[in-house]
Amino acid sequence: MVTITAADLARQFGKYRDIALREPVSVTHHGRETLVMLAADEYKRLKTIEEDMAKDRKAAMTEIFDTHKDTFEKLALR
């Protein structure tokens, strides 16, 4: 991953935009990483993975709840 300063990004945006289409570009400000530029297709791919994982977690939690529904109801009545 290429790392640049925010000042470098401002001066040479086109250059770093082109690099970000091939690989992530880390941008620092005052020595701290503040953002990462990446291609829109890569961002969409990562968001899809995140959404799929969230759906899987929800399905797993629903299954756990359904399996132990009676126990949860008894605990709620205490």
Side-chain angles (χ1 to χ4, degrees):
M1 177 169 21
V2 174
T3 300
I4 60 168
T5 66
D8 288 338
L9 177 62
R11 281 192 296 272
Q12 299 179 1
F13 179 79
K15 172 186 174 180
Y16 293 112
R17 180 196 58 222
D18 291 345
I19 292 172
L21 292 172
R22 296 187 309 275
E23 66 178 297
V25 176
S26 173
V27 182
T28 63
H29 185 69
H30 296 294
R32 285 188 23 233
E33 183 179 57
T34 56
L35 62 97
V36 175
M37 291 177 33
L38 63 148
D41 287 344
E42 179 64 3
Y43 173 78
K44 290 173 189 172
R45 185 185 74 81
L46 294 171
K47 288 299 288 181
T48 299
I49 291 170
E50 178 185 48
E51 290 164 1
D52 289 347
M53 289 174 64
K55 288 176 190 173
D56 291 346
R57 280 192 302 271
K58 184 175 180 179
M61 292 304 295
T62 299
E63 183 179 341
I64 290 168
F65 182 79
D66 289 346
T67 301
H68 300 286
K69 184 179 178 183
D70 292 339
T71 302
F72 292 137
E73 288 174 350
K74 288 176 186 174
L75 287 171
L77 295 173
R78 287 186 173 184

